[in-house]
Amino acid sequence: MSTGPGATHLRDSAQYGHLWMTQPMREWFGEKERLRCWLGIYASLAAAQADLGLVPRAAAERIAETALTGEIDLVEVAATTVRTGHSTAGLVAWLQSEVGAAAAPYVGLGATVQDISDTWTALTLRRTGELAGQDLIALLQLLRQLTERYRATPMAARTHGQVGVPITVGFKAAGWAAECERHLDRFAEGRERWEVAPLGGSVGSIAYWGTQGPDLLDAFAARTGLGAPVLPWGCARDAVAEFACWAQLTATLLGRIGNEVYQLQRTEIGELTEAVAPGQISSVTMPHKRNPELAEHLVTLRRLVSASAGLLIDGALVEHERDGRMWKAEWVALPDLCSALTRATRACVDLVRGLQVQEHRMARNLAAAATTSEQVVTALAGRLGRDQAFAAVRTAIDRAGPGGAWMAELADDPRIADTDLMSTADLVDHDAIASAVAFADRWLRGGTQW
């Protein structure tokens, strides 16, 4: 992975890279760091083989020492890879030359490119899940605080982009939090399937080692810190596809939060506001603007996760026992997905941590809308019948116009002139808010393992 003037991917840009990747992911996906991880996998393989008496312990220890401390000659490794046209020939040749003649024959013995790269994939899923999971737990706690603080603060619900009956800020935050919690539950369950060792050898049966294959898979899994599957998973990409599905669902929640903040920060609504960092410039020409930078970026990142997830899910359609046409596409799509996902989780934490609730704007927007129309229809239905009550309320709202005094218009209807409509409106407004508070409290009482 290059940086600076020679970078070709936007996330490697010195100027813009921070928008697309966090530093921990940058460290993970850097080329030297990836090769170091691959060397560690070769070392784990040799150690597992030594555990079963398949290779000399001294050779395994020499491979491990070199994998940990050897200075990788990236130029030489790259040149050999290009010359041979083989994905790991350069790295294997370098490692063999470094460990010496006695240990060289035991480097990657019986293993394929896919064994090494798929093990790195499983470790990548684990690392990405750890980073995203930490952020999601932090997000969940921030949403809990938001729910607690604003559990009874009224705001307008919106359906089809239009103002509905009142809810509370706490109710909305609890809805986001409950979904976040479900994604954490899915992660905890799914990682048992996707954080597993893939060692399968040439055709997935570890044929090189005969009947010792299953024991070697278990020993290798233990050495890498991954789970041991019943069967090697090289030709079955459902675990990677499942992770992609989880990432897409999670990014969609983050994008939904970002989109709602983006919409509610519109000048004409103004109910939520992003915090502005010191020195941040929203517009170079219009100083009155406070652009929702994080909120809109979450929607962008969600689209990138979704695009990469599609490739990973499509990769589950493989042919027979190995199919590089699908598997190698992961080499491009997986870093893109993991980078965008973890950048999105971090951005959403920052967004919610600095979120500002504009209670006065929420109250003003509620007052300007006919938020109690549904309940007023219900209150009048006993006298007029529901259809006639609905028509009377609709007519009053149309006559009053946007933000007009529709209750006064309705009071002029001779059929309901003696009805205390203001008391009815106050009552139903209170009931709608009380219902939202009850559900916010219900989520708060539910507790969480996170």
Side-chain angles (χ1 to χ4, degrees):
M1 180 175 294
S2 59
T3 59
T8 57
H9 197 295
L10 195 59
R11 67 169 176 256
D12 299 328
S13 164
Q15 187 176 7
Y16 301 114
H18 67 285
L19 295 172
W20 312 104
M21 174 182 273
T22 63
Q23 187 58 31
M25 280 283 90
R26 186 175 305 283
E27 294 169 358
W28 180 262
F29 286 121
E31 185 163 33
K32 282 196 172 183
E33 290 77 6
R34 177 176 54 80
L35 291 180
R36 180 69 65 190
C37 184
W38 282 28
L39 289 174
I41 294 168
Y42 279 116
S44 294
L45 176 62
Q49 291 166 342
D51 292 341
L52 299 180
L54 302 176
V55 305
R57 177 65 66 184
E61 291 174 349
R62 176 60 183 155
I63 292 170
E65 178 186 2
T66 304
L68 182 64
T69 63
E71 184 62 33
I72 303 172
D73 187 339
L74 187 55
V75 174
E76 178 186 339
V77 169
T80 304
T81 301
V82 172
R83 184 178 68 254
T84 62
H86 189 275
S87 304
T88 57
L91 188 63
V92 170
W94 175 84
L95 182 56
Q96 287 175 329
S97 68
E98 291 293 310
V99 299
Y106 303 106
V107 172
L109 189 60
T112 67
V113 175
Q114 191 168 352
D115 289 322
I116 305 306
S117 68
D118 276 359
T119 302
W120 174 80
T121 292
L123 294 171
T124 296
L125 301 186
R126 184 176 69 184
R127 180 59 176 150
T128 303
E130 289 171 348
L131 293 171
Q134 290 168 8
D135 284 341
L136 290 175
I137 291 172
L139 176 62
L140 184 63
Q141 297 307 316
L142 289 169
L143 290 172
R144 172 173 285 275
Q145 295 170 17
L146 199 64
T147 302
E148 291 172 338
R149 181 175 180 181
Y150 297 104
R151 55 183 285 280
T153 301
M155 69 175 296
R158 289 172 172 84
T159 65
H160 301 277
Q162 306 293 305
V163 172
V165 300
I167 54 172
T168 68
V169 179
F171 176 79
K172 179 178 282 290
W176 294 340
E179 184 174 345
C180 181
E181 198 169 34
R182 291 192 294 273
H183 293 321
L184 281 166
D185 290 341
R186 292 183 180 102
F187 168 66
E189 179 189 82
R191 65 187 312 183
E192 297 179 2
R193 291 187 289 273
W194 60 61
E195 293 179 13
V196 294
L199 184 66
S202 56
V203 297
S205 61
I206 317 185
Y208 187 94
W209 298 106
T211 58
Q212 291 182 293
D215 291 337
L216 179 57
L217 176 59
D218 291 344
F220 177 68
R223 283 288 184 172
T224 59
L226 295 166
V230 175
L231 293 172
W233 56 268
C235 62
R237 316 305 293 181
D238 61 291
V240 178
E242 182 184 12
F243 179 86
C245 289
W246 173 78
Q248 186 172 18
L249 283 172
T250 300
T252 297
L253 166 65
L254 307 176
R256 181 164 78 89
I257 293 173
N259 184 59
E260 292 196 11
V261 173
Y262 177 96
Q263 300 295 343
L264 294 174
Q265 189 166 323
R266 289 180 180 275
T267 305
E268 63 273 22
I269 298 175
E271 295 182 0
L272 294 177
T273 310
E274 277 191 24
V276 178
Q280 181 177 332
I281 300 173
S282 289
S283 171
V284 295
T285 59
M286 294 174 283
H288 67 279
K289 293 185 67 182
R290 294 182 65 179
N291 292 345
E293 303 286 355
L294 285 173
E296 66 181 13
H297 197 49
L298 283 169
V299 178
T300 301
L301 291 167
R302 183 265 170 190
R303 289 172 174 161
L304 295 177
V305 170
S306 183
S308 297
L311 285 171
L312 295 173
I313 293 167
D314 187 63
L317 177 62
V318 299
E319 187 174 293
H320 303 306
E321 280 62 55
R322 179 169 302 174
D323 187 352
R325 296 171 298 177
M326 300 298 182
W327 151 57
K328 289 184 180 179
E330 294 175 7
W331 295 8
V332 176
L334 187 64
D336 286 349
L337 178 138
C338 295
S339 298
L341 174 65
T342 50
R343 185 65 188 91
T345 57
R346 181 68 54 82
C348 199
V349 169
D350 292 340
L351 173 66
V352 174
R353 180 180 288 120
L355 199 60
Q356 299 167 1
V357 176
Q358 308 298 340
E359 297 183 47
H360 66 289
R361 293 294 294 269
M362 292 177 172
R364 189 197 71 177
N365 292 340
L366 275 173
T371 59
T372 59
S373 63
E374 180 182 9
Q375 291 87 347
V376 170
V377 168
T378 301
L380 297 176
R383 173 179 295 192
L384 303 181
R386 189 189 180 284
D387 290 345
Q388 289 298 315
F390 188 96
V393 172
R394 179 73 263 176
T395 298
I397 291 172
D398 288 343
R399 286 176 178 171
W406 68 277
M407 293 288 282
E409 290 284 346
L410 185 61
D412 288 341
D413 190 321
R415 297 172 296 173
I416 54 177
D418 60 342
T419 302
D420 187 355
L421 291 175
M422 295 307 296
S423 295
T424 301
D426 290 343
L427 177 63
V428 296
D429 231 8
H430 177 272
D431 286 347
I433 294 169
S435 176
V437 171
F439 275 110
D441 287 345
R442 176 171 171 164
W443 181 77
L444 288 169
R445 288 195 305 270
T448 173
Q449 64 170 317
W450 308 105

